[in-house]
Amino acid sequence: MRISEAASVSGLSVDTIRFYEKSGLLPPIGRGLDGNRKFSAENVDWLVLMSSLRETGMPLEKMRHFAELYRSGNRTISERKQVLLDHAEHLETKRAALDHCASLLERKLGLYAEIEEVPA
Amino acid sequence: MRISEAASVSGLSVDTIRFYEKSGLLPPIGRGLDGNRKFSAENVDWLVLMSSLRETGMPLEKMRHFAELYRSGNRTISERKQVLLDHAEHLETKRAALDHCASLLERKLGLYAEIEEVPA
DNA sequence: TACTCGCCTGGAGTGGCTCCAGATCAAGCG
DNA sequence: CGCTTGATCTGGAGCCACTCCAGGCGAGTA
């Protein structure tokens, strides 16, 4: 799969994928005879995961650590599991922030409605 | 209220508050005789809103626009309302991303469990 | 008086992209 | 066969949203 396809499947931009590769967040990506990157199914799956972790706020440093664990094989599985569990917990925090903001917006919109009903 | 208190109430850092002021995201903040910022209740309320909008992904540019509307008085209320409604919709998108990530993590964790049950 | 504490300002540094110039190569066309 | 188009490549500059730091000021305390 070409980089543009990998980009549209993962939701990352082409530039971001190249940047992630430079930053050590990806497993080695093969190259075709033309020198262009060729993404395997496994590569794309990994990109999708990275995209989702990043989109939900995991810093690159943590992702890099997770990628290193991945490269080190199956003996790191319990540690990787812990990283994902930690992130799952982080998602809860994020959800709470969304809920909080939603209710704040509702209150503000309510106030605006009042002001409009009783114009100066 | 001093800046450190405003920071702990709003959840923004002291530096970020100063940065927001420079960036035109805040209404004029008064100063005491000592030259230090003094935050009114309304100021703090605004900081809380800015904090929540920013935390849920609104870019500074949009926040600046909203702040300008706020400074322009009540005749901008319908436009401000629209900004908040748009953002409320944006929250839904964010929520979907969290859900998506959560189910992805669940699947990955399931796979790890399988691998651990049947070690090499 | 000396020390600490919180605040001030301007500016440098950081994380995470995003954009750009200039080069290469394969495919399609007249 | 040469020419154009389009996708990719690399290295590096630029940008957004902070974050940190040096150097300085004024109020309160020992």
Side-chain angles (χ1 to χ4, degrees):
Chain A
M1 194 180 276
R2 289 177 297 122
I3 195 170
S4 58
E5 300 175 279
S8 76
V9 171
S10 67
L12 297 168
S13 77
V14 166
D15 272 321
T16 299
I17 292 176
R18 289 198 273 248
F19 168 70
Y20 280 6
E21 191 189 24
K22 265 190 239 176
S23 309
L25 273 66
L26 307 185
I29 306 294
R31 299 283 179 139
L33 295 175
D34 53 3
N36 292 2
R37 291 171 185 82
K38 284 190 58 182
F39 293 82
S40 69
E42 195 187 345
N43 290 158
V44 172
D45 196 54
W46 182 258
L47 282 179
V48 167
L49 179 59
M50 291 298 103
S51 173
S52 198
L53 293 178
R54 185 69 201 101
E55 189 181 13
T56 54
M58 185 180 288
L60 292 201
E61 188 55 44
K62 222 173 196 167
M63 289 166 61
R64 185 160 18 243
H65 176 62
F66 186 72
E68 271 158 28
L69 293 175
Y70 179 69
R71 279 197 293 277
S72 307
N74 281 1
R75 66 187 174 73
T76 67
I77 281 190
S78 71
E79 197 177 342
R80 274 188 265 161
K81 208 154 103 178
Q82 195 53 53
V83 172
L84 297 191
L85 283 171
D86 287 356
H87 192 65
E89 205 165 314
H90 172 81
L91 295 185
E92 294 307 307
T93 313
K94 283 255 172 189
R95 188 184 307 277
L98 290 186
D99 289 350
H100 182 87
C101 184
S103 79
L104 184 53
L105 291 186
E106 220 166 295
R107 275 209 303 288
K108 293 285 172 191
L109 287 167
L111 286 179
Y112 286 169
E114 276 179 34
I115 294 173
E116 281 193 325
E117 276 163 25
V118 189
Chain B
M1 195 179 278
R2 287 178 297 124
I3 194 170
S4 57
E5 301 175 277
S8 76
V9 172
S10 66
L12 297 168
S13 77
V14 166
D15 272 322
T16 299
I17 292 176
R18 289 199 274 247
F19 168 69
Y20 280 6
E21 191 190 22
K22 265 190 237 173
S23 309
L25 272 66
L26 307 186
I29 306 293
R31 299 282 180 139
L33 295 175
D34 54 3
N36 293 2
R37 292 170 183 83
K38 286 190 55 180
F39 294 81
S40 69
E42 194 187 346
N43 290 160
V44 172
D45 196 55
W46 182 258
L47 281 179
V48 167
L49 179 58
M50 291 299 104
S51 174
S52 197
L53 292 178
R54 185 68 203 102
E55 188 181 13
T56 54
M58 185 180 287
L60 292 202
E61 187 57 43
K62 222 174 197 166
M63 288 165 62
R64 185 160 18 244
H65 177 61
F66 187 71
E68 273 159 27
L69 294 175
Y70 180 69
R71 279 196 293 276
S72 307
N74 281 2
R75 65 188 175 72
T76 66
I77 282 190
S78 71
E79 196 177 342
R80 276 189 263 161
K81 208 154 104 178
Q82 195 53 52
V83 172
L84 297 191
L85 283 171
D86 287 357
H87 192 65
E89 204 165 314
H90 171 81
L91 295 184
E92 293 307 306
T93 314
K94 284 255 173 188
R95 190 185 309 278
L98 289 187
D99 289 349
H100 183 87
C101 185
S103 78
L104 184 52
L105 291 186
E106 222 167 295
R107 275 209 304 289
K108 293 285 171 191
L109 287 167
L111 285 179
Y112 285 168
E114 277 179 34
I115 294 172
E116 283 191 327
E117 276 164 26
V118 189

